Amino acid sequence: MQQKERATLYVGTQDALHLFGNRSGREFAGRSVSALAQADGALAMVLDGRELFCSDSGKRWQSIAILDSVSIECVLWDGRTAWLGTSEAHLYRVRDGQSERLESFDSAPGRADWYTPWGAPPDTRSLSRGADGALYANVHVGGILRSRDVAASWAPTLDVDADTHQVSADPTRAERIYAATARGFAVSDDGADSWRFENAGLHASYLRAVALTRDAILVTASQGPRGSQAAVYRRPAQGSSFEKCHVGLPDWFDGNIDTHCLAASGQLVALGHNGTVFWSENAGTTWRELASDLPSIQCLTLA
């Protein structure tokens, strides 16, 4: 009999960090947890959009950086270095207690074409690292940028108008990169040199989140920014068509399941929506409700 995978699920809400699984509880009460990331069990967390905390195991947290002039939208963490994507489409690197804004990202090719439909400055919305160490930064709205020289320079990849919401690099195949976009599920087989869209099986092409299990891909889809008829889909990593996840989930979600609110590790998957957490132990085939009546869920991760 195969042993069940175990992990701790960290759920960031508007007023606390909630823990489920190997550990449980509520920490940092009264503070908004706006971003989470993990690498081999080491964790990074952003509080109130400004302060970066890190932990080697999730038991002892240490504040290592505060940004006053911008809001931190996402974090990528490798256990030593944190990369912070921020409002106004900046990127910061935090290492050895020192934070620096990357001028290379501020001067990235194509930056003049970044925009938002509502006229505000764009944000750096998601970050990912490839198996070869390449960095991928998703600007909303500004496409996906790639750096193969540890952020010394950046190159635009996916078209800006694809309206990317999340980029996710395959942790085992350096050439394989995925993205959830307003045009659907984008896939690259050559390290983001080229892209194609694979939307077979989806009821709609507006995607907000993507997560990778050991052998499956999950995405969240809806009919548009307002989240009409939102759902979760899965397909085998080497498959060609998505299937809607329905066992243990609502027929349709009211509102989008947002970027950073879908997470996976091994065969474990969690999603957070409107104060409810759903849990799967078989790569999204079946689900159960894990928690409800939480404050607004903003992010989650498994470690």
Side-chain angles (χ1 to χ4, degrees):
M1 182 175 179
Q2 186 175 6
Q3 186 175 4
K4 285 187 176 181
E5 294 182 80
R6 295 185 59 80
T8 298
L9 172 63
Y10 297 83
V11 180
T13 75
Q14 285 186 335
D15 82 338
L17 176 68
H18 298 260
L19 286 67
F20 304 91
N22 285 346
R23 298 177 58 215
S24 61
R26 180 172 175 264
E27 301 177 358
F28 296 93
R31 302 197 65 177
S32 172
V33 181
S34 51
L36 287 163
Q38 72 88 25
D40 297 326
L43 291 120
M45 171 178 61
V46 176
L47 295 184
D48 303 322
R50 303 288 183 183
E51 188 171 7
L52 174 67
F53 280 75
C54 292
S55 171
D56 59 0
S57 64
K59 295 181 180 179
R60 289 186 178 183
W61 293 92
Q62 179 180 6
S63 174
I64 64 171
I66 297 176
L67 302 186
D68 292 322
S69 60
V70 291
S71 173
I72 303 171
E73 304 295 324
C74 58
V75 57
L76 177 66
W77 172 243
D78 65 10
R80 179 185 175 188
T81 301
W83 307 84
L84 306 178
T86 76
S87 58
E88 302 181 16
H90 300 304
L91 184 63
Y92 285 74
R93 177 168 50 202
V94 181
R95 182 169 50 194
D96 299 327
Q98 302 295 315
S99 61
E100 60 173 326
R101 184 168 131 183
L102 298 182
E103 296 298 328
S104 62
F105 197 75
D106 288 346
S107 60
R111 187 179 183 92
D113 298 324
W114 302 351
Y115 70 97
T116 61
W118 52 93
D123 298 329
T124 306
R125 186 180 180 113
S126 69
L127 300 165
S128 191
R129 183 191 294 274
D132 59 355
L135 295 171
Y136 296 89
N138 152 219
V139 173
H140 185 246
V141 177
I144 296 172
L145 292 95
R146 179 192 63 212
S147 176
R148 288 175 169 162
D149 52 15
V150 199
S153 63
W154 296 86
T157 66
L158 187 59
D159 178 45
V160 168
D161 290 327
D163 191 3
T164 303
H165 298 121
Q166 186 173 1
V167 61
S168 184
D170 190 307
T172 62
R173 299 177 59 185
E175 71 281 3
R176 185 62 68 91
I177 315 298
Y178 306 105
T181 84
R183 293 183 183 174
F185 182 59
V187 181
S188 175
D189 289 321
D190 51 19
D193 285 337
S194 63
W195 294 86
R196 66 182 181 276
F197 289 91
E198 298 182 351
N199 294 335
L202 299 175
H203 79 286
S205 60
Y206 184 87
L207 309 186
R208 282 281 185 93
V210 55
L212 312 179
T213 72
R214 185 179 299 116
D215 51 18
I217 301 166
L218 290 94
V219 299
T220 66
S222 78
Q223 293 184 336
R226 295 183 180 179
S228 175
Q229 286 192 320
V232 183
Y233 288 82
R234 70 182 301 277
R235 79 172 204 193
Q238 304 304 317
S240 59
S241 183
F242 286 96
E243 293 184 355
K244 184 180 174 185
C245 299
H246 60 87
V247 179
L249 294 179
D251 287 339
W252 300 104
F253 286 88
D254 180 17
N256 281 300
I257 302 165
D258 214 348
T259 309
H260 309 305
C261 289
L262 180 70
S265 176
Q267 296 295 90
L268 305 177
V269 191
L271 71 87
H273 183 263
N274 285 352
T276 300
V277 178
F278 293 92
W279 178 255
S280 174
E281 296 180 348
N282 50 20
T285 303
T286 61
W287 300 76
R288 64 181 174 89
E289 185 178 299
L290 183 65
S292 61
D293 298 324
L294 298 178
S296 178
I297 296 170
Q298 303 182 124
C299 55
L300 43 80
T301 195
L302 284 154

